[in-house]
Amino acid sequence: MMRDKINGIIYNFYPHLLAFLVFTVPVNYRFTLYTLGVSFVLAVYMIVKDGCFNDILKNRLVVGVVMLWLFFAFSLTYTSNLRYGLNDIFQKISMVFLPLVLIPIARKPGNKSSLVKNSFLFGILVSSLFFIARAFVNSTLITPVGIFFKPNPVGVPWENYFFYERFVSPHHPTYYSMYLALGIVFIAEKIKHLSRLKVKVYFYLFWLYLLVVTYFTSSKIGIVLSIIISFLLLVWVLKRKGKIVITTFFAIFIVLGVFLIHNNYRLRSSINNVAKYLNGSRVDDEIAKQGLVRFEIWRVFPKVFDDNSLLFGTGIGDVKKELVAVYDKNNIKYARDVQLNAHNQYIQTLVSVGVIGLGILLSILGYAFWLAYRKRDMVLFLFLIIISVNFMFESVLERVFGVIFFVFFLLFLSSKSEAKIASIDS
């Protein structure tokens, strides 16, 4: 009797634990790791009790994610830097943990989707309000002669407490902008299913607020992607509301989008510098050159395969060493000195684990897109757009919080569609 009572408490508590896990993602990844550890222990207990370990084999995306991690692990057999490789494998261990963590919630009846999505939105709200408050505090200078507002840090006048890394620390601006973009998707989904106009207005204001916070992150791809995602969502949400309503909302978001792009110096200057680079013009500013270094990396990375297998790659332990060697040979000083990764997940995977590893990653994304198309799942589709585009400009899976964000929401958002497909096939 006591054991049944304890089991009941665990099963009732578990969805709320996962909701807290998602809440911590935009707050602080260290809390996420601690919560993931507790979730994993409870998940294993419930899986063993229910005898449902085979459920992991019924989900093709889960199989794909685990296969990708296993191939990363296999690459340790032909890599020379085992210490670096083992550290990287450990950072990617949530590829194995999260599928197990999500099994118990997928087996229980009842829709826990809203609980998880609301928790994620709440986490975004709490963290963004904290960032804004911190920026105001840091920008307020109290002196004997009065109180002054000075958002530029002493000694570094080109930086601003309200923009980029100083605003979102300890997060990376691009990663935090991913969270904001997905939050916008969840808000639009709520608006689409709400009937009360007053509540809809609140969520539209929340939507606009997240766009403004995205502007503060100063993530170039984050700003552009959030505007594009917002346009697509407006079509989805308002397609039955009439031309006048759609035109009005489009006008609002177009004006806001133009404002965000035009008034963000970092984005505007980056567009100009990219145009110069593509036209073959000289870029003299050192900071601008650092922003363009990824184009140089993408240009020279194939030379890694002069001495390594294209099929298997360098191995997970040697990817940084081999990339840095190529940077050095091609005189890309900044990338060499800072030891940059490829700043592109597709290239990073290709270099690390070759065509086989890249094929597994592309198969995961391709199958997920097919699921979204077949089930007409707009939320899953836009999440995949967010991830796929960010994969083009960041090596997302090289950071532990990038792995957690990708794997959790990929499996969580696709779980219903995948379950239906699996039942049809069986």
Side-chain angles (χ1 to χ4, degrees):
M1 183 67 70
M2 180 61 70
R3 179 178 296 180
D4 292 340
K5 190 173 182 179
I6 293 174
N7 288 336
I9 292 173
I10 292 174
Y11 282 105
N12 290 328
F13 168 71
Y14 193 72
H16 299 281
L17 181 62
L18 287 192
F20 181 73
L21 170 68
V22 172
F23 166 80
T24 64
V25 168
V27 175
N28 191 302
Y29 81 94
R30 295 187 185 278
F31 296 150
T32 308
L33 293 177
Y34 300 145
T35 310
L36 177 59
V38 176
S39 302
F40 177 73
V41 171
L42 292 181
V44 170
Y45 170 78
M46 289 185 280
I47 290 169
V48 171
K49 179 181 177 299
D50 296 340
C52 56
F53 184 79
N54 287 337
D55 284 11
I56 198 171
L57 301 176
K58 298 177 182 178
N59 188 310
R60 293 174 176 87
L61 284 175
V62 168
V63 172
V65 169
V66 174
M67 279 183 60
L68 181 59
W69 185 85
L70 288 174
F71 196 72
F72 277 125
F74 171 73
S75 74
L76 289 172
T77 61
Y78 55 87
T79 198
S80 61
N81 192 339
L82 285 177
R83 183 174 181 178
Y84 182 86
L86 287 170
N87 180 64
D88 204 1
I89 284 294
F90 182 74
Q91 287 195 65
K92 292 178 172 65
I93 194 66
S94 53
M95 289 182 173
V96 178
F97 281 13
L98 283 170
L100 295 173
V101 164
L102 287 168
I103 285 178
I105 201 167
R107 287 178 57 84
K108 293 299 176 182
N111 184 16
K112 304 300 182 183
S113 178
S114 294
L115 175 64
V116 171
K117 292 173 182 176
N118 289 342
S119 296
F120 184 68
L121 288 173
F122 186 54
I124 290 175
L125 180 62
V126 170
S127 59
S128 61
L129 288 175
F130 170 76
F131 295 152
I132 293 171
R134 181 179 63 183
F136 271 109
V137 170
N138 289 336
S139 302
T140 303
L141 187 62
I142 302 175
T143 70
V145 296
I147 300 175
F148 299 92
F149 183 73
K150 193 179 185 304
N152 306 103
V154 177
V156 279
W158 57 87
E159 294 193 11
N160 193 306
Y161 289 120
F162 284 90
F163 291 102
Y164 202 48
E165 292 179 335
R166 286 188 179 271
F167 178 70
V168 299
S169 177
H171 292 283
H172 185 289
T174 299
Y175 290 74
Y176 193 74
S177 71
M178 280 197 300
Y179 307 157
L180 296 170
L182 184 59
I184 289 171
V185 174
F186 289 164
I187 289 171
E189 181 188 25
K190 285 184 172 296
I191 292 173
K192 187 174 178 65
H193 296 104
L194 284 171
S195 56
R196 294 176 59 190
L197 179 60
K198 185 177 180 180
V199 180
K200 283 187 176 183
V201 170
Y202 289 143
F203 277 105
Y204 274 118
L205 291 175
F206 192 12
W207 187 339
L208 290 172
Y209 168 76
L210 293 191
L211 285 174
V212 173
V213 176
T214 304
Y215 169 76
F216 289 153
T217 69
S218 287
S219 167
K220 293 165 285 189
I221 187 60
I223 293 173
V224 174
L225 188 57
S226 291
I227 293 171
I228 294 172
I229 291 291
S230 293
F231 286 160
L232 295 174
L233 287 169
L234 280 175
V235 174
W236 182 53
V237 172
L238 302 173
K239 63 181 179 180
R240 296 181 182 178
K241 301 298 182 181
K243 294 182 179 180
I244 296 178
V245 175
I246 293 177
T247 303
T248 301
F249 275 90
F250 263 110
I252 293 172
F253 276 93
I254 288 173
V255 170
L256 182 61
V258 171
F259 173 82
L260 292 178
I261 293 174
H262 183 266
N263 288 278
N264 189 291
Y265 173 77
R266 187 171 182 271
L267 177 58
R268 191 173 70 251
S269 61
S270 294
I271 293 173
N272 293 332
N273 290 328
V274 169
K276 286 182 180 180
Y277 178 86
L278 295 177
N279 290 330
S281 301
R282 182 182 178 87
V283 178
D284 295 320
D285 184 84
E286 287 301 319
I287 295 179
K289 286 181 180 179
Q290 293 176 13
L292 295 170
V293 72
R294 69 188 65 199
F295 292 100
E296 291 295 301
I297 292 173
W298 300 343
R299 179 178 61 83
V300 303
F301 88 88
K303 296 181 181 181
V304 167
F305 299 108
D306 291 346
D307 302 313
N308 294 280
S309 167
L310 179 62
L311 188 63
F312 290 98
T314 65
I316 196 169
D318 292 338
V319 58
K320 177 182 284 190
K321 181 187 73 174
E322 295 296 333
L323 282 172
V324 170
V326 170
Y327 303 156
D328 188 42
K329 289 179 182 178
N330 291 271
N331 200 33
I332 309 177
K333 295 179 180 179
Y334 177 71
R336 179 200 62 200
D337 295 342
V338 184
Q339 297 192 337
L340 294 177
N341 59 40
H343 273 68
N344 179 303
Q345 187 58 56
Y346 306 110
I347 293 175
Q348 186 80 24
T349 304
L350 178 62
V351 173
S352 178
V353 283
V355 171
I356 296 176
L358 179 61
I360 297 173
L361 178 62
L362 293 178
S363 297
I364 292 169
L365 293 174
Y367 181 69
F369 269 115
W370 177 80
L371 274 181
Y373 170 76
R374 179 165 177 177
K375 306 308 297 183
R376 301 298 188 269
D377 190 334
M378 189 66 167
V379 174
L380 175 60
F381 173 75
L382 290 179
F383 166 74
L384 292 169
I385 292 292
I386 293 167
I387 280 295
S388 300
V389 172
N390 276 281
F391 273 8
M392 295 170 64
F393 298 94
E394 292 289 343
S395 298
V396 176
L397 302 184
E398 297 306 297
R399 295 176 182 257
V400 62
F401 40 87
V403 177
I404 292 173
F405 177 75
F406 168 60
V407 175
F408 181 91
F409 282 108
L410 172 71
L411 300 182
F412 178 76
L413 295 175
S414 65
S415 58
K416 281 190 175 181
S417 299
E418 174 64 16
K420 291 177 181 178
I421 298 296
S423 63
I424 292 172
D425 292 346
S426 59

